[in-house]
Amino acid sequence: MPDLVDLRVFVETARRANFTRAAEALDASAAYVTKRIQVLEQNLGVKLFHRSTRKVVVTEEGERIYQWAQQILDAVDGMVAEVSVGRAEPRGALRICSSFGFGRNIVAPAISQLSARYPQLKIRFEVFDRLVDITNEGFDLDVRVGDEIAPHLIARRLAPNHRVLCAAPGYLARRGTPRTLGELASHDCLIIKERDHPFGVWRLRDGTREEVIKVTGPLSSNNGEVVVQWAVGGRGIALRSMWDIAPLLESGKLVRVLPEFTQEANVWAVYPSKLGNSAKLRVCVDWLQESLQALIAQRQS
C-alpha cells in the first residue's frame, strides 16, 4: 500500500511540475522528493512523471493517481482537522501572500499577532505587485483587496472596504473640482497598476448604476503608497481604498472628489482548498477576519 507521505509528496510535485519547488513547499530537499516519488512508483508499479532538465510532466497513469491521491489526502486532512478541533493548537508551515501596501500596513501586523498566539505555526509572508497563482506557486492563502475572484478559488470576505476618488485641496484650487465623471478626462489622474487592477480603467458605482471610464495622467505607478504621496503633493486625482486614505481625509490633506461615486473593494481571504481540510488554515482565516476588521475600523475612525 502507498504511504500517505509519498502521496502528499507526489501531489505537491504534480501541482508544481518541479521537484525543487515541491521540496520548498514541503520544507524538504529535492533528493528526498525524488526518493519518495521513486518509492511510490515502485509500490504502484507505474511511471508517474515524464522528467526533463527543466520540469516534470505527469503521465496519463499519474493523472489518474493524482485524482485519487487528492481525494485520499483531503479525506485524511478533514478527519484530522475534525478530531483536533478544540484540543490541539495549529502547527506547521503556512505560506501567505498579499499586495505591497495593504500587506505591509494591515496584514503584516495581524500575522505577527497570529504568530505570537500560535507559536507552533511557521509562517512565510510575501508581498507582490501582481496577481499570484496561489495553487501553482505554493501559497496556502492570498489576502486580497478587490472583488474580482476566479470561480475555481474559494474565498471568504474578511472586511468591508471601498475605494473613493480624492485629491489635495491645492490641486482642486488650481485645476477646479470635477462635477461629473466625464470631466475627469480633462484632469491629471494618478493611475495605478497594482496586481490585477486594469490600468487606467476606473469602475465606479453611484447607487445601482455603474460607469466605466478611461483616465489618463502624466504619473502612474505599480505602488499604491506612491500614488497616495503624489495625491497629497497636489499632483492629481487618485482612486484609493478608504483603509488607506481615511486618516488623510480626516486631516484635510486629501478631500473627496465626486463623493457619490465609489468602487467596491472588499478584503478577501482566497485559498485553493476548503477550510475544513486544514485546521491551521481555518484558524488563520478566522484570526485574520477578526483582526483585519478591527485594524481597518481603527484606521477609518
Side-chain angles (χ1 to χ4, degrees), residues 7-8 14 17 21 38 70 100 113 128 132 143 149 158 197 213 233 241 258 275 277 281 290-292:
L7 290 179
R8 197 174 299 278
R21 290 179 181 175
Q38 290 174 346
Q70 187 62 70
F100 278 154
Q113 297 167 4
F128 299 90
V132 176
V143 184
I149 299 171
L158 298 178
H197 302 167
I213 60 170
S241 288
L258 297 170
L275 288 181
N277 294 337
L281 182 59
E290 180 177 351
S291 299
L292 296 188

Side-chain angles (χ1 to χ4, degrees), residues 4 13 21 54 68 82 100 137 158 169 186 195 199 214-215 225 239:
L4 286 177
T13 307
R21 290 179 181 175
R54 292 191 175 182
W68 278 106
E82 183 174 336
F100 278 154
E137 297 185 48
L158 298 178
S186 61
R195 306 195 93 192
F199 187 79
K214 178 70 175 177
V215 296
E225 294 176 308
L239 177 65

Side-chain angles (χ1 to χ4, degrees), residues 172-230:
L172 298 176
R174 186 173 71 254
R175 297 289 303 276
T177 301
R179 293 188 174 89
T180 66
L181 288 182
E183 292 182 15
L184 290 177
S186 61
H187 279 267
D188 294 337
C189 293
L190 303 172
I191 306 170
I192 183 170
K193 181 66 178 77
E194 185 180 36
R195 306 195 93 192
D196 57 336
H197 302 167
F199 187 79
V201 177
W202 288 352
R203 296 179 178 272
L204 296 160
R205 184 174 293 276
D206 176 12
T208 59
R209 177 172 57 98
E210 183 180 75
E211 293 193 34
V212 180
I213 60 170
K214 178 70 175 177
V215 296
T216 60
L219 291 173
S220 64
S221 175
N222 69 335
N223 189 287
E225 294 176 308
V226 170
V227 167
V228 171
Q229 291 176 13
W230 287 340

